[in-house]
Amino acid sequence: MVQKLDTLTETPSQTAGPYVHIGTAPTYAGLGGIYEHEIGQTTYQDGAEGEVIEITGTVTDGTGWVLRDAVIEVWQADASGRFAGQEGADPKVTGWARVCADPESGEWRLGTIKPGPVPMRGGGWQAPHIVLWIVARGINTGLQSRIYFEDEANGDDPVLARIEQRPRVDTLIAKKTGDGRYRFDIRLQGAGETVFFDM
Amino acid sequence: MTATRDLGPLIPRNRDAHPPAYDPDYKTSVFRSPHLPLISMESTPSEETGPRFGHARLGPLDNNLILNWTKGAAPAVGERILMHGRVLDENARPVPDTLIEIWQANAGGRYRHIKDTYFAPLDPNFGGCGRTITDENGCYEFLTIRPGAYPWPNRGNEWRPMHVHVSVFGHSFGQRLITQMYFEGDPLIARCPIANTVKDRGQLDRLVAPLDLGRARPMDFLAYKFDIVLRGRRQTMFENKLEGM
């Protein structure tokens, strides 16, 4: 016999299901007013430093069908690359929000502040990015991904550098469609499948 | 820049403890599971930080689903229960001050959601969502009614066991977890393709909350205990570098 480890195992994930909005976006589900303050409405308040941008997209399944019931959570740094709670972070940027696909079209829309580059442990910088966590019916464990920006210097990003098949990097780059406007479509499966991380 | 002590990278997920993305018995997963492997790498500050929620934004009835839909005017119908437990990390440390959200069907198995068309009636006094923040020891509690089983279109005659959906934040975005709590003794658990996406029987058992008579309140409510473990941080004496260095 050997000594016993005193570590625990993580609780297993389960799908968020089709009614995830009841718990995470009650107004969307038809439960408006149950909470005085509903969280996750926006990543920033008026007066936040930096460029206000809008990102739109869809989430499609392996048949090309657009998901109407997906929920995407985003987490990002402020315009100078600091996360909420860190010293010097912009107090008007929470950096976190929830985005629900439109129940008719499946389009989602995120209005936010364009994040700055974020330092890596041990030196180096990550290009500006938004971390995603995608849950829905049929997704057993929330999927981690990232949004990068077409008009930023992504060449030295250490996370993108880890993707061996270079054409796949493109699935993480939001395309500029106008002034401060970007398009980012997520493909869960099949041709053009978005890169998902285990980080 | 910041003097925050680096708590170390997140311990990588043991994917064998979680359901596979693709499980044909749960049909929707067939179309919604990535075919290509996940890209694995050590967490970065982007995964090691995460949103924090203060108590100030919570209302006094937010963790009381028996009363929160009617703002205390009338109680929901059903079996009154206390759902409680602790949130710990893999290093067995409590996770204090973290947000937990739950949602569930009513006593008849009907959800208050625009998309639910099951003909079991809505309870006019039941909404179905709640939230709370763990205390300094990582403890939480909700007062609610036990949800009913309900049918769903998967195979021909499929019924979900009684369950409560649970969403936990932890202190890092990379700890984010959504799961489901089941109830001790429910014969539908073994027949449920969603519960059984968890392939390790010991892991599935960890989603089943035992009856906890010690926390039941006589003449008022029964109790069920549901502990939750989130990812921990990997720290050694060789890894005490400053954040951002």
Side-chain angles (χ1 to χ4, degrees):
Chain A
M1 292 293 281
V2 297
Q3 290 189 14
K4 236 181 143 160
L5 291 171
D6 56 5
T7 47
L8 304 173
T9 304
E10 193 186 7
T11 298
S13 174
Q14 291 271 268
T15 180
Y19 309 127
V20 54
H21 319 93
I22 295 174
T24 60
T27 299
Y28 175 101
L31 283 76
I34 191 163
Y35 298 141
E36 196 180 332
H37 301 286
E38 193 162 321
I39 59 169
Q41 304 293 294
T42 175
T43 59
Y44 70 101
Q45 297 158 10
D46 286 345
E49 288 175 38
E51 183 193 2
V52 175
I53 59 170
E54 184 183 79
I55 309 171
T56 55
T58 55
V59 183
T60 50
D61 72 12
T63 72
W65 179 250
V66 172
L67 273 64
R68 271 74 174 171
D69 52 11
V71 173
I72 302 170
E73 289 189 9
V74 303
W75 173 242
Q76 64 165 82
D78 66 14
S80 57
R82 295 184 180 95
F83 291 98
Q86 290 182 335
E87 200 177 314
D90 185 341
K92 292 190 180 297
V93 175
T94 65
W96 177 80
R98 279 172 169 149
V99 180
C100 299
D102 182 88
E104 304 301 326
S105 68
E107 286 267 325
W108 55 265
R109 181 199 152 279
L110 170 69
T112 191
I113 297 289
K114 198 171 189 190
V118 172
M120 281 293 275
R121 169 178 290 108
W125 294 82
Q126 304 183 68
H129 64 279
I130 297 172
V131 180
L132 304 181
W133 190 65
I134 304 156
V135 295
R137 173 173 65 99
I139 296 177
N140 289 327
T141 306
L143 295 167
Q144 294 172 276
S145 189
R146 288 182 167 206
I147 301 175
Y148 288 82
F149 300 93
E150 185 180 46
D151 52 352
E152 294 286 341
N154 297 313
D156 294 329
D157 183 83
V159 173
L160 295 179
R162 283 288 291 271
I163 301 170
E164 182 189 347
Q165 291 83 12
R166 301 313 292 165
R168 297 202 70 203
V169 172
D170 205 40
T171 69
L172 299 182
I173 313 285
K175 302 292 176 286
K176 194 159 187 175
T177 57
D179 207 21
R181 300 173 72 87
Y182 296 87
R183 180 83 193 174
F184 188 81
D185 290 317
I186 297 161
R187 294 176 183 86
L188 296 179
Q189 183 191 85
E193 185 174 304
T194 299
V195 167
F196 300 106
F197 293 102
D198 190 5
M199 294 177 76
Chain B
M1 204 159 55
T2 144
T4 314
R5 191 151 166 265
D6 183 357
L7 297 171
L10 289 160
I11 297 172
R13 275 209 153 107
N14 172 7
R15 293 274 164 181
D16 293 336
H18 292 281
Y22 170 82
D23 187 340
D25 288 341
Y26 174 26
K27 292 181 181 177
T28 309
S29 79
V30 172
F31 312 99
R32 296 184 173 193
S33 45
H35 280 170
L36 299 173
L38 304 176
I39 305 272
S40 297
M41 59 181 291
E42 192 163 81
S43 62
T44 78
S46 308
E47 291 76 34
E48 293 154 13
T49 53
R52 301 294 289 266
F53 304 93
H55 294 262
R57 298 193 76 76
L58 267 55
L61 289 176
D62 282 4
N63 69 339
N64 184 338
L65 286 74
I66 293 176
L67 293 176
N68 67 5
W69 180 244
T70 63
K71 313 242 182 268
V77 170
E79 189 178 332
R80 298 160 62 87
I81 60 166
L82 177 78
M83 168 183 167
H84 76 98
R86 288 181 84 194
V87 182
L88 304 169
D89 70 16
E90 289 169 293
N91 296 313
R93 295 193 184 100
V95 182
D97 296 315
T98 190
L99 184 71
I100 302 182
E101 299 163 309
I102 65 169
W103 65 100
Q104 62 168 92
N106 69 23
R110 173 71 186 271
Y111 282 95
R112 187 177 289 278
H113 188 285
I114 41 177
K115 293 276 186 189
D116 189 3
T117 55
Y118 182 35
F119 56 72
L122 286 170
D123 176 349
N125 298 330
F126 185 73
C129 63
R131 58 186 187 178
T132 192
I133 290 178
T134 56
D135 70 9
E136 67 275 16
N137 299 312
C139 297
Y140 73 91
E141 50 184 46
F142 291 98
L143 208 54
T144 186
I145 55 104
R146 186 146 90 150
Y150 66 86
W152 60 296
N154 189 54
R155 300 177 296 204
N157 187 20
E158 211 87 89
W159 295 77
R160 294 302 324 279
M162 302 176 284
H163 65 278
V164 177
H165 296 266
V166 182
S167 155
V168 196
F169 282 80
H171 295 166
S172 311
F173 198 57
Q175 290 178 298
R176 198 75 182 77
L177 181 74
I178 283 182
T179 188
Q180 300 182 26
M181 179 189 97
Y182 303 105
F183 292 85
E184 178 182 3
D186 187 342
L188 287 170
I189 297 169
R191 294 167 170 86
C192 176
I194 289 179
N196 287 282
T197 58
V198 181
K199 299 307 173 193
D200 180 324
R201 178 69 217 199
Q203 280 292 92
L204 175 55
D205 286 346
R206 297 183 53 220
L207 297 182
V208 184
L211 179 69
D212 182 3
L213 276 177
R215 288 293 297 273
R217 183 167 169 170
M219 310 304 287
D220 192 345
F221 53 75
L222 277 173
Y224 287 85
K225 181 175 190 286
F226 187 63
D227 289 339
I228 299 161
V229 177
L230 302 179
R231 295 173 71 182
R233 305 281 286 257
R234 191 198 74 220
Q235 194 187 16
T236 75
M237 292 173 74
F238 301 101
E239 283 182 320
N240 290 332
K241 287 174 278 190
L242 297 182
E243 199 159 282
M245 299 288 284

